[in-house]
Amino acid sequence: MSQDSLHAAAIEPNSPKTLAENAYLQLRHDIVTGKHRPGSKLRVEHLKKQYQVGAGTLREALLLLVTDALVTVQGQRGFRVAPISLDDFQDITRVRTVLEAEALALSIAHGDEVWESNAVAAFHRLTRVEERLHQGDVGFDEWEARNRAFHSSLLAACPSRWTLHFLSILYQQSERYRRLVLGNPTVPRDVHAEHSALLEATLQRDAKTASRLLVHHIEKTLEVVRLLPADSFGE
Amino acid sequence: MSQDSLHAAAIEPNSPKTLAENAYLQLRHDIVTGKHRPGSKLRVEHLKKQYQVGAGTLREALLLLVTDALVTVQGQRGFRVAPISLDDFQDITRVRTVLEAEALALSIAHGDEVWESNAVAAFHRLTRVEERLHQGDVGFDEWEARNRAFHSSLLAACPSRWTLHFLSILYQQSERYRRLVLGNPTVPRDVHAEHSALLEATLQRDAKTASRLLVHHIEKTLEVVRLLPADSFGE
DNA sequence: TAAACATTTTTTCTCGAGATTTTTTTGTAC
DNA sequence: GTACAAAAAAATCTCGAGAAAAAATGTTTA
């Protein structure tokens, strides 16, 4: 886990070196993708076989997930997958729009040329994977990773560590809901065009337009999630 | 640890039942009060004697502190007390004002009579402890606890779980800096009057005034911290 | 002297087994 | 059939010892 980044979710860059980190990453993926259902119990005795680690190590992995608010822990009563709900996603979206609009404005104000080119590069990589996604050559995981990288690159020049820390948590939470939409019929939407316009406004240092586009982009996903059947969030 | 509250810091209400929670609470206190210096290493082998628990249990306590961003962890390199700096506190203050102003406005919009009376009661308890504090009958810990309870009571009706979650983290971080001011000569300030005016505006449902007073209240502490000698944050 | 390497010491990480607590099941009375 | 109590089962929590890694120390060489 890196020290400069406050967030445990920022482990990835350095390949995981401990078994606990490894189990953490696997568990996180399985929770975000819904393999472990929201609200369900996470029994250490059962999971240690699945993830091939000892009980103590698995507990550490679960404790790391508490930092991401993907798992809740209750003394003497074990661990649970954090529940999801439409209310929760509305709250996530609201807080995210507030923080992300501010973070983007700050990033635009502080960003240099390196920041600019990193954003362009991230957009390019995202575009490429989108093409392959349409052809079925590549999985959603890969798109999700590059989508995150793109959004992250836009905010990279924001000097507020705490804003970025909270946003990384909220972004990851949002991913749970984005995955929910995958199989379902969705409203027509051109995500690529949204990203493209967002990048353009950002590069032109038009903070107001960029923030507005970003907020709209985030809220659009909420609209889509709202259309899901009511039983999509648990059962 | 409670489940409805997302934040590990919300353990207190239920008296700690596991040794790990107990060690967590003690460690947290010792970090917030500066007994373990910012940036210093937290060696498990050494601490387990101090807190009278096994290595695994102590690691769990430290992992819980990572959730509060009071401790950082780095794979294969152990735990450290999260560092502090003026820059960090400026960031904390900025994000706090944004979130707290919004949370208070929401709380005022949603609060009922029970919420009102709880706020009045919390203010009363804070006032009482202030009297005894001046007489030296009671320690700063007690004042700090009731100060937190008062501020928490104001926001209690805010329906945004995530805003409250992040604020509870930021509030706890702020406490580290407030403790720094304790011994030092400080600018003249009537905290009681600030609280009083804040409560009044809140009870009158004047969201605009209340938020303004709250932001001012929070920023005032930043001014005080700014006056500290430069070597106050580490060394 | 400074850098490169090998050795020792310290610290972190990991596991499995036992103690404690919670949950479930079973049994009994009303 | 319901309510309550006791026993059994399951799960969590805790510890100490050993394996793996990092840091510190000492030695050699240019």
Side-chain angles (χ1 to χ4, degrees), chain A residues 1-3 6 8 14 17-18 21 39 56 59-61 63-64 66-69 72-77 79-83 88 91-92 94-95 98-99 102 106 158-163 165-167 169-170 173, chain B residues 1-3 6 8 14 17-18 21 39 56 59-61 63-64 66-69 72-77 79-83 88 91-92 94-95 98-99 102 106 158-163 165-167 169-170 173:
Chain A
M1 280 146 262
S2 72
Q3 187 175 351
L6 289 160
N14 338 328
K17 284 167 185 171
T18 65
E21 285 177 21
R59 288 180 63 84
E60 291 205 5
L63 252 2
L64 283 174
V66 172
T67 301
D68 297 337
T72 61
V73 57
Q74 208 177 359
Q76 219 69 271
R77 288 197 207 164
F79 301 88
R80 280 186 174 280
V81 179
D88 182 54
D91 192 25
I92 288 169
R94 215 183 43 73
V95 179
V98 172
L99 293 181
E102 197 195 343
L106 283 170
C158 168
S160 171
R161 291 280 134 203
W162 283 99
T163 302
H165 173 52
F166 294 147
L167 279 176
I169 293 177
L170 291 175
Q173 291 285 329
Chain B
M1 280 147 260
S2 74
Q3 185 177 352
L6 290 159
N14 337 328
K17 282 167 184 171
T18 66
E21 286 178 20
R59 287 179 63 84
E60 290 206 5
L63 252 2
L64 283 174
V66 173
T67 300
D68 297 336
T72 61
V73 58
Q74 207 177 359
Q76 221 67 274
R77 289 197 204 165
F79 301 88
R80 282 185 174 279
V81 180
D88 182 55
D91 192 25
I92 288 169
R94 215 183 43 73
V95 180
V98 172
L99 293 181
E102 197 195 342
L106 284 170
C158 169
S160 172
R161 292 279 133 205
W162 284 98
T163 303
H165 173 53
F166 293 148
L167 279 175
I169 293 177
L170 291 174
Q173 292 285 329

Side-chain angles (χ1 to χ4, degrees), chain B residues 7 23 51 74 81 83 113 125 130 138 150 160 164-165 170-171 180 195 203 208 210 214:
Chain B
H7 185 32
Y51 294 93
Q74 207 177 359
V81 180
E113 278 196 344
R125 282 192 289 273
E130 277 169 347
V138 74
F150 170 64
S160 172
L164 293 180
H165 173 53
L170 291 174
Y171 186 90
L180 233 55
H195 283 155
L203 293 178
K208 208 167 177 184
L214 181 53

